[in-house]
Amino acid sequence: MRTRTPLYGLLVSLLLLGAGLFLPASAARAADNGTWGVFPTPPAGAAMTDRAYFFHQGAAGTTVADSATIINSSDRELTFQVFATDAMNTPSGGAFALLPVETKPRDVGTWIALPPETAGTVTVPAKGRKDVPFTVKVPADATPGDHVGGIVVLNTAVEGVQKDGKVQVGVKRSVGARLYFRVPGPVAAGLSVEDVRVSRSTPLLPWIQDARATVTYALVNRGNVVVEPRVTVSAEGLFGREVLDRPARELKLVLLPGQRVELTEAWPDAPQSDWVTVRVAADAAAHPDLATASEAEFVAVPWPAVGALLVLAGAGTGLWVLRRRGAARDAELPTPAPAVARVH
């Protein structure tokens, strides 16, 4: 992911406000962009990718220690800013994201303490590595459940310039290693499907061209543990006729507690004339008792065809009215009197 810092002092806060660090939820390894990376420090003799992420557990009031390793695979020395922060799901699409340096964390990111020497910057030699120890101190009032964040490494060098309106901004890159921390106590998985709606695009030539539709819905994690949802999308027409049946599938999405994401489902061959009920259901393989669903209805009408029929009907009605008026006028004309012959 690229973050932006302005080359001009003006609008610094504004330009940085939307910059984020986005890591695909499907990634199976710690963060590495090919030039540098950050990993959980492996045990002596173990491979660097022995742990994909940081996984810890600790009761309120306890402290857990660990270490992150920064790898510099390039041929030059690199200097980084290292910080801890919270995780979130992007509202649209639900990608896993770590907050940028400008946004203050409020959860597990505030529990993490990095060594004093990382308060400024950390320099890693070419083809070298740097271990950064840290501690996680769980507050006494920490709520039970999953708290998710990460250790982020931001390159201090500007790697390019982009224009943002009339202002030029410098582009920096950052990567992060996820940190999952569970506080013991009552935990509950919660998931809901909400706000199902359908938007349609009607073809100009109904039943010759396909009608397209998009199903939009929201997934909300209402529990206190991470959920990896599966989604099933189906639809029925009049009299229970099945018009869409897409079996349950993994979304490759890590939905964090308290997060809401909006997702879309393309429907390229939607019905063109029907009364349709669309149903979106969700569950999670790790939580067998977790199931939720929501529905939306819509009436599929081939409006171009209906419009054409209305035009034809209007034209036919107009001709009929004109003919009736013409016939009425003919009936109202006076009948000429018969000629009378005069005899002289």
Side-chain angles (χ1 to χ4, degrees):
M1 170 56 194
R2 299 185 170 207
T3 56
R4 295 177 172 182
T5 54
L7 296 183
Y8 303 102
L10 189 62
L11 302 179
V12 170
S13 299
L14 180 61
L15 290 174
L16 290 177
L17 187 60
L21 172 67
F22 300 96
L23 302 178
S26 59
R29 55 182 175 80
D32 185 352
N33 62 16
T35 305
W36 74 87
V38 56
F39 305 83
T41 302
M48 184 57 67
T49 55
D50 182 63
R51 289 188 294 165
Y53 310 125
F54 296 101
F55 291 96
H56 289 294
Q57 179 171 306
T62 61
T63 300
V64 176
D66 205 334
S67 175
T69 297
I70 305 171
I71 298 293
N72 179 4
S73 303
S74 73
D75 296 324
R76 66 185 186 279
E77 181 181 86
L78 297 176
T79 301
F80 303 99
Q81 182 178 358
V82 183
F83 61 95
T85 192
D86 296 338
M88 62 171 286
N89 291 106
T90 56
S92 178
F96 185 96
L98 293 172
L99 299 178
V101 65
E102 304 82 26
T103 304
K104 292 183 178 181
R106 297 182 178 181
D107 194 52
V108 69
T110 65
W111 306 356
I112 299 172
L114 296 165
E117 57 268 26
T118 64
T121 58
V122 174
T123 299
V124 183
K127 304 296 184 181
R129 60 178 278 181
K130 174 73 173 180
D131 294 340
V132 180
F134 65 88
T135 58
V136 184
K137 185 175 182 179
V138 187
D141 60 351
T143 57
D146 292 338
H147 301 262
V148 187
I151 305 295
V152 181
V153 176
L154 171 67
N155 189 4
T156 59
V158 175
E159 299 187 11
V161 176
Q162 293 182 357
K163 284 189 176 181
D164 193 342
K166 295 182 179 180
V167 180
Q168 288 183 319
V169 296
V171 178
K172 296 181 179 180
R173 286 195 297 168
S174 57
V175 294
R178 305 185 195 186
L179 185 147
Y180 294 88
F181 199 102
R182 173 163 292 188
V183 177
V187 295
L191 181 65
S192 65
V193 179
E194 302 177 4
D195 299 334
V196 178
R197 53 194 188 277
V198 181
S199 59
R200 300 177 60 249
S201 175
T202 307
L204 294 175
L205 299 175
W207 302 290
I208 296 176
Q209 298 174 318
D210 289 335
R212 298 181 178 274
T214 300
V215 180
T216 303
Y217 60 95
L219 290 181
V220 185
N221 186 342
R222 299 197 177 279
N224 60 358
V225 293
V226 169
V227 174
E228 298 185 31
R230 297 183 304 188
V231 167
T232 304
V233 181
S234 59
E236 290 184 353
L238 284 173
F239 313 112
R241 183 173 62 91
E242 184 181 274
V243 293
L244 179 65
D245 182 20
R246 293 181 180 173
R249 72 184 192 282
E250 298 283 351
L251 295 180
K252 307 300 182 184
L253 168 65
V254 179
L255 189 58
L256 308 180
Q259 296 288 298
R260 172 192 176 92
V261 301
E262 187 169 281
L263 304 171
T264 58
E265 186 92 11
W267 190 358
D269 54 351
Q272 301 196 38
S273 58
D274 209 337
W275 190 311
V276 183
T277 300
V278 177
R279 186 173 191 268
V280 179
D283 62 9
H287 305 280
D289 298 330
L290 188 63
T292 178
S294 186
E295 296 181 347
E297 293 184 346
F298 70 92
V299 178
V301 179
W303 291 114
V306 171
L309 290 174
L310 291 175
V311 170
L312 291 175
T317 301
L319 289 174
W320 179 78
V321 170
L322 290 175
R323 288 177 179 176
R324 288 293 301 270
R325 288 179 177 176
R329 282 196 300 269
D330 291 344
E332 292 174 358
L333 291 176
T335 303
V340 178
R342 294 184 179 184
V343 179
H344 297 280

